[in-house]
Amino acid sequence: MLKYKAVEIFTNEEARYRNKPVADAAMQYIRKLKIAARCTVSRGVAGCSESGEITTDRLEVLSVSMPIRIYIIFPAAEMERVLDGLEPMVNDGIMVLHDLDVVCHRVRNAFFPRQLKVRDVMTADVASITTTTRLSDVVQLLLPSIFNGVPVLDPKGRPVGMVTQGDLIRKGGLSLRLGLLTECDEQCRKEVLNPMSTRQAEEIMTRPVTFIAESKPLAEAVDLMLRVGVKRLPVVDEQGKLSGMLSRLDIFNTVMRETPDWKAFAEQKVEVGDLKRVGDILRRDTHTVSPETTLDEVMRIIDSDDMQGVAVVDPQGKLLGLIADQDLLGYFQSGQEGFWQRLAKGIHSTQHNICHGDLQQCLLETTVGKVMQTDFVAVREDMLIENAISQMVEKGIKRLPVVDEAGCFQGMISRDSLLRTGFNAAM
């Protein structure tokens, strides 16, 4: 048997706590605790109180405040937290505490509460462009933004297209990712953006645009994102005008805010179904190199890898470090020609320039061990995907290396894999 407690609150519809109905205040409090608790609110059809007042739903009696019963069940270990919050709410009524012997407590894992609407999660007051906005201005708009895409609006404020980082690279002539361009100096940015200043958004925008109404359930929006294969959705109001943007980051922030502490549930013997772990979703076909691999070879791998990074491992497979395209930029001589060299010249890098002679010879002779990042964040295969999401959001990481208990590299996880697997687990 599991040791549980039950709280009953007998009150009425008129009872308020901080200008809210007591039933609403109690439910919100229990929900925010993120504990293994169930709360039920029922409205009586008739009742009487110690004041002699009678309430009934019969037409011949005028009733203005029907009786309310709030019933909450929770593990006994949570009693102090529950009572501390509920007791001040009862300014008109009775609160009762019971002991319960619970045979079992099972709960279905949910990625986020089903009642959430898109408007509850989206980012409002987002930037937008028109069909005639210059591509160079689009890039400048996106550089400080949390989004890698911007909606294109018609004169009435309705979305007619999207310009994403992919559109800018594939069709607009942007020669490097926005993340790298943010670290360029002014001269470097001019060299990248000047050729784009004569072209307009309508030339490269993705159309027709996929959008979602702000009144739709969040689950429907996530399903649409996964089905269409987009990272963000413009959100429209009842008139079809842009009211915000919904991105994967918005969804992950919601998961962090709403997800219960599943570890605490397990400690209280609550059975949680369909929990997904990092090992269920990691990508195992990612590239690895040894510390002796040359930069020339790493550059070829990164150019062909959509993960945009490579794991560095020892002969036993233990993860030693990571290397990404950005880590290579400080290793080019400022006087050398070519795009990578011009970019490196504009990067505010703290790394020392080690290529003093012929560039190609330097790339062939310099090994990954001199370049790799050793201060990295890695996660274990048995970590819950909700906890992996927290790691990525809190540290601003788009991809995480996964290791086993011995620290051996197992693969990578990305934001897309987390969203896809987490949402499917909750369906």
Side-chain angles (χ1 to χ4, degrees):
M1 293 289 184
L2 305 176
K3 296 302 180 183
Y4 275 59
K5 297 285 186 179
V7 165
E8 284 185 284
I9 300 174
F10 297 88
T11 184
N12 57 75
E13 291 178 314
E14 288 184 340
R16 294 290 186 273
Y17 178 70
R18 295 180 178 175
N19 298 320
K20 291 182 180 179
V22 169
D24 291 349
M27 286 193 298
Q28 289 180 14
Y29 177 71
I30 294 299
R31 180 169 173 259
K32 288 181 179 179
L33 287 180
K34 295 186 178 182
I35 61 175
R38 295 274 174 128
C39 179
T40 302
V41 177
S42 55
R43 180 179 185 270
V45 298
C48 66
S49 68
E50 59 275 270
S51 66
E53 195 172 90
I54 294 178
T55 54
T56 176
D57 60 358
R58 289 181 299 171
L59 295 178
E60 63 267 24
V61 178
L62 179 63
S63 299
V64 294
S65 184
M66 299 301 288
I68 296 290
R69 177 175 178 258
I70 307 168
Y71 194 74
I72 305 167
I73 301 177
F74 53 91
E78 304 287 0
M79 182 180 68
E80 186 174 346
R81 294 174 66 195
V82 172
L83 296 183
D84 284 349
L86 292 180
E87 192 276 332
M89 298 181 187
V90 186
N91 50 46
D92 182 7
I94 299 173
M95 186 165 71
V96 182
L97 181 66
H98 304 287
D99 289 322
L100 296 178
D101 288 328
V102 173
V103 177
C104 66
H105 185 171
R106 300 187 179 100
V107 61
R108 180 171 170 268
N109 177 25
F111 209 40
F112 44 73
R114 284 178 288 181
Q115 77 272 11
L116 286 179
K117 304 291 186 183
V118 172
R119 69 167 70 93
D120 302 323
V121 177
M122 70 180 191
T123 299
D125 301 321
V126 294
S128 62
I129 60 175
T130 69
T131 56
T132 59
T133 302
R134 295 182 303 175
L135 296 188
S136 55
D137 292 336
V138 175
V139 175
Q140 294 281 22
L141 185 67
L142 289 175
L143 286 179
S145 174
I146 62 172
F147 301 110
N148 280 349
V150 60
V152 185
L153 307 185
D154 67 11
K156 294 184 178 180
R158 298 172 302 193
V160 293
M162 281 285 296
V163 173
T164 67
Q165 175 177 251
D167 294 324
L168 289 165
I169 292 175
R170 290 190 301 270
K171 298 179 286 185
L174 183 64
S175 49
L176 74 163
R177 293 185 292 109
L178 294 169
L180 293 179
L181 191 57
T182 57
E183 300 196 32
C184 276
D185 62 13
E186 185 176 354
Q187 181 58 35
C188 173
R189 291 189 187 183
K190 284 183 179 179
E191 292 186 24
V192 174
L193 297 180
N194 280 347
M196 306 175 68
S197 61
T198 59
R199 302 184 64 189
Q200 298 181 343
E202 63 181 346
E203 299 177 44
I204 70 164
M205 70 182 188
T206 298
R207 66 175 106 185
V209 62
T210 301
F211 55 83
I212 188 84
E214 61 183 15
S215 59
K216 293 291 186 180
L218 179 60
E220 185 174 326
V222 177
D223 180 58
L224 179 62
M225 292 173 72
L226 294 175
R227 184 158 32 88
V228 179
V230 296
K231 299 177 181 179
R232 63 200 68 81
L233 285 172
V235 182
V236 298
D237 61 17
E238 294 180 355
Q239 289 73 44
K241 296 181 179 180
L242 183 74
S243 60
M245 288 282 287
L246 179 69
S247 70
R248 292 184 304 189
L249 187 58
D250 293 318
I251 297 168
F252 289 157
N253 282 327
T254 301
V255 173
M256 290 176 59
R257 184 176 67 249
E258 303 288 348
T259 300
D261 185 350
W262 298 124
K263 182 179 179 181
F265 280 30
E267 292 172 351
Q268 295 168 354
K269 311 302 181 184
V270 178
E271 298 179 34
V272 183
D274 296 323
L275 282 177
K276 295 294 183 180
R277 302 183 184 275
V278 166
D280 299 324
I281 66 172
L282 69 89
R283 176 175 165 179
R284 298 182 184 273
D285 64 343
T286 52
H287 291 287
T288 61
V289 297
S290 73
E292 290 74 35
T293 305
T294 64
L295 296 188
D296 180 68
E297 176 63 23
V298 170
M299 288 180 66
R300 284 198 294 268
I301 293 174
I302 290 178
D303 283 342
S304 65
D305 186 4
D306 60 359
M307 281 287 190
Q308 297 167 351
V310 179
V312 185
V313 300
D314 67 11
Q316 289 73 44
K318 186 174 181 179
L319 183 62
L320 302 177
L322 300 171
I323 181 170
D325 48 10
Q326 186 170 334
D327 301 317
L328 301 173
L329 297 177
Y331 290 80
F332 293 91
Q333 187 175 346
S334 59
Q336 293 165 331
E337 295 302 323
F339 176 75
W340 275 75
Q341 293 75 28
R342 295 198 308 273
L343 178 59
K345 184 170 58 177
I347 293 291
H348 305 296
S349 175
T350 58
Q351 298 172 322
H352 294 293
N353 186 330
I354 62 174
C355 288
H356 300 294
D358 178 74
L359 173 61
Q360 191 59 39
Q361 188 65 30
C362 179
L363 294 177
L364 290 171
E365 294 176 353
T366 305
T367 60
V368 169
K370 298 180 180 180
V371 180
M372 67 183 183
Q373 304 172 31
T374 56
D375 183 19
F376 56 85
V377 177
V379 297
R380 294 272 296 274
E381 291 184 81
D382 58 354
M383 176 181 280
L384 294 175
I385 63 171
E386 290 89 348
N387 294 338
I389 287 172
S390 296
Q391 290 277 343
M392 297 179 85
V393 173
E394 290 171 359
K395 295 179 171 61
I397 301 171
K398 293 184 178 180
R399 302 164 192 84
L400 275 175
V402 182
V403 298
D404 62 14
E405 63 277 2
C408 292
F409 180 71
Q410 301 299 306
M412 291 273 194
I413 57 173
S414 65
R415 288 181 178 179
D416 181 71
S417 61
L418 286 169
L419 180 60
R420 188 173 300 277
T421 305
F423 179 71
N424 289 339
M427 293 298 288

